[in-house]
Amino acid sequence: MKIIPCALLSLLVSASVYAQQTADPGNFYARYSAQTNAIQSKQPNWPPPLVTTYTGLFQVVRTDYLRQITPTRTDTWNIDGSKCVSFIPFNRTEFDINLPPYIFHNTPAAKDGWGDMSFLGKFRVASGNEQHGHYVISVFALATVPTGQYKNGSTDASIAPNLAVGKGFGPLAIQTTAGTTLYVSKPATTTTGNPVAWNLATQYHLHKYFWPEVESNATWYKGGTNHGKMQEFVTPGILFGKLKLHPDDPKSRPGLTFGAGMQIATSQFHSYNHELVMTARWIY
C-alpha cells in the first residue's frame, strides 16, 4: 500500500487506547475526557462542516478524500485533505496537526507526491451553549510549511489569520469564517499574492443523526497572477453522526461521523469544479 491515511491509523490507536484504559475511571484518559466535555459544554453542539473551519473547539481524528476536475477535464485526487488530529489542550484552546496530503494526478504532465504540512491554533473568545445564547466567536491561524513534492504544494511558508463566528436558531446553525493568507517570502508573494477567503456554512439538524448543509466558499485574489479575480463554490452536502462507541453512556465521547458533498463552481473563474468531498471522523 503506497500510503496509509492518517485517520485510519489514528482511529485504530485511539480505539485500542480507549478500550484498554476505560476500566479505571481515575486514569489520564478519563480525566482528560471529563475536562474536554466541560470545555465543550460551554459552546453549541454542531458538527464541523465539510469545508468551512469549525467555529468552536473540537477534538477529532479526521481524514478527507477530495476529487477535483480541472478545466482541462483531468482528475486530481487529494488523499487525507490536509487533515489529521485536533485536540483541546486546555480551556478555550484547540491545536491541530495536519499531515501532508498525498496528491494523485491522472495526467503525465504532473507528478504524484506529498503536499504541504500545516498546523492550526484556535482560541474561543466567547460562546454559549443552546441554553445560553447558542453562539460562538473564535479566532484561529493556519500555518503552512512548504513540504510539497513536485509542485504539489506552495513554494513558501504562510500563515492565515481568521475570524470565526457561529449562531444557532433551534435546529439551524450558521457558521462563517473570514481571513487572508500571508506568505512569508517570494516567489509565493508575487505569484499567489494574499488571497482573502470567506466561508459560510448553513446546517440543519434533522432527526438524530442527520445534518444536511449548504456552504459557500469564496476567495478574492489580491496580488499575484490572479489579481482581481474571484472564485466561489457552492457545496451541498450531508453529515451523519455521531455514532457513539457506547451509546448508552451519556458521558461517553468516542464515536464516528461520516459525510459527503460536492463543491460546484458558481464563478466564471475557477481552478477546478465538481469537487467530491468525503470525510470520516473519529471523535475521541
Side-chain angles (χ1 to χ4, degrees):
M1 187 174 181
K2 196 168 186 180
I3 58 172
I4 300 176
C6 165
L8 177 60
L9 179 60
S10 299
L11 187 152
L12 295 175
V13 173
S14 299
S16 61
V17 170
Y18 180 80
Q20 293 170 7
Q21 294 186 345
T22 48
D24 178 11
N27 61 52
F28 171 79
Y29 181 88
R31 295 193 302 270
Y32 185 70
S33 179
Q35 172 185 289
T36 305
N37 282 337
I39 293 172
Q40 290 186 310
S41 69
K42 299 177 182 178
Q43 66 183 29
N45 187 27
W46 308 321
L50 285 170
V51 180
T52 301
T53 299
Y54 188 53
T55 55
L57 306 180
F58 210 59
Q59 192 159 275
V60 65
V61 177
R62 172 178 174 177
T63 186
D64 287 4
Y65 297 85
L66 315 175
R67 184 218 60 192
Q68 297 177 344
I69 300 177
T70 68
T72 58
R73 307 301 298 174
T74 61
D75 290 357
T76 298
W77 278 92
N78 181 316
I79 308 300
D80 213 30
S82 295
K83 305 296 182 184
C84 188
V85 60
S86 306
F87 59 94
I88 301 172
F90 38 82
N91 191 29
R92 299 169 67 178
T93 305
E94 176 187 319
F95 187 71
D96 299 0
I97 301 173
N98 302 316
L99 296 184
Y102 196 85
I103 312 298
F104 288 101
H105 305 276
N106 71 341
T107 170
K111 292 185 178 181
D112 301 341
W114 298 100
D116 292 338
M117 187 169 186
S118 61
F119 304 89
L120 185 144
K122 185 188 299 180
F123 179 76
R124 192 180 66 194
V125 178
S127 66
N129 58 25
E130 287 78 357
Q131 291 75 41
H132 298 89
H134 208 184
Y135 75 100
V136 62
I137 302 172
S138 301
V139 291
F140 67 88
L142 177 69
T144 302
V145 182
T147 58
Q149 299 175 308
Y150 314 120
K151 299 182 179 181
N152 288 305
S154 175
T155 57
D156 299 281
S158 66
I159 185 166
N162 280 260
L163 172 66
V165 178
K167 183 69 176 78
F169 304 90
L172 179 68
I174 299 174
Q175 301 184 68
T176 184
T177 67
T180 185
T181 301
L182 305 173
Y183 290 93
V184 300
S185 60
K186 295 180 180 180
T189 53
T190 54
T191 58
T192 307
N194 300 121
V196 176
W198 176 48
N199 298 287
L200 177 67
T202 301
Q203 301 172 302
Y204 192 85
H205 193 188
L206 187 63
H207 299 295
K208 184 176 181 180
Y209 294 112
F210 295 95
W211 286 86
E213 65 165 51
V214 177
E215 300 187 42
S216 170
N217 315 113
T219 303
W220 289 264
Y221 293 92
K222 306 297 181 182
T225 56
N226 292 322
H227 177 72
K229 296 180 179 180
M230 180 266 198
Q231 177 175 247
E232 183 188 26
F233 301 93
V234 170
T235 310
I238 190 168
L239 294 164
F240 179 70
K242 118 179 164 184
L243 303 174
K244 284 189 174 184
L245 185 63
H246 299 287
D248 296 331
D249 183 0
K251 295 182 179 180
S252 175
R253 290 188 52 80
L256 283 168
T257 298
F258 302 96
M262 178 72 72
Q263 272 199 324
I264 303 169
T266 57
S267 57
Q268 184 176 3
F269 168 75
H270 50 272
S271 57
Y272 61 89
N273 199 357
H274 297 102
E275 178 181 76
L276 175 63
V277 182
M278 297 177 288
T279 185
R281 306 162 183 183
W282 172 252
I283 302 163
Y284 66 97

